[in-house]
Amino acid sequence: MSTNPYAVPPYEQQQQQPAPEPYPQPRQSSRAVPRVLSALGGFLLTPVALGMVIYGGSRLQRVFAQAYGVGEDPLGLITLLLGALLLLGVALLGALSGLGPVIGGLVWGVLPGLAALVGSTDLLGLMYDLGGRELGVGLATWLMMGCLLGSGVLLVGAGLVGTLTRRRPRSRSAG
């Protein structure tokens, strides 16, 4: 027998349940499906969106150079706007996973933009040959002006922002 007056005999002790966790952790779900969807979307939609923006802009530039008005070519205007909306969609894929905008921006923006800035004039000839008249002129213009590089960097930034905001710890109070 113990001399401790607060000691409880073993038969009188109640089964103690473990204390609940003060901050219950949410169940971790698999991120594989959002990552794959985002990566495929970024890889496949980015060249389509950039091509539409470049083609529409090239058509509008040609019409503007001839008649000083962009309203005379509705196809160019619609193509440009749809391409811009597709680029916005690629950037919004960063909400699923940052992988999509990062892949799309690197593969279709940053790498070709850097290659054009440090590459030779053979690259410009290849752009004209592959892209046809409007797309070739527009792509060469975007490459030489750094617009393709800038678009790629913006998509990479959108993907990084999506990833970093997902990893940031959330506060329990709003104030």
Side-chain angles (χ1 to χ4, degrees), residues 3-17:
T3 58
N4 184 354
Y6 300 106
V8 179
Y11 56 87
E12 291 181 8
Q13 285 183 349
Q14 295 181 0
Q15 294 287 336
Q16 291 185 356
Q17 295 179 354

Side-chain angles (χ1 to χ4, degrees), residues 55-136:
Y55 178 75
S58 179
R59 285 182 61 102
L60 291 176
Q61 181 183 11
R62 183 176 42 87
V63 168
F64 184 75
Q66 292 174 353
Y68 298 110
V70 294
E72 297 173 14
D73 188 13
L75 177 64
L77 188 61
I78 290 170
T79 307
L80 177 74
L81 292 174
L82 286 177
L85 287 175
L86 273 177
L87 276 177
L88 178 64
V90 171
L92 289 176
L93 284 174
L96 283 177
S97 170
L99 196 58
V102 169
I103 287 176
L106 283 176
V107 171
W108 301 110
V110 173
L111 295 178
L114 289 176
L117 293 178
V118 299
S120 65
T121 57
D122 294 337
L123 183 65
L124 291 178
L126 179 67
M127 291 302 129
Y128 284 112
D129 292 340
L130 291 178
R133 184 171 171 213
E134 271 99 11
L135 189 58

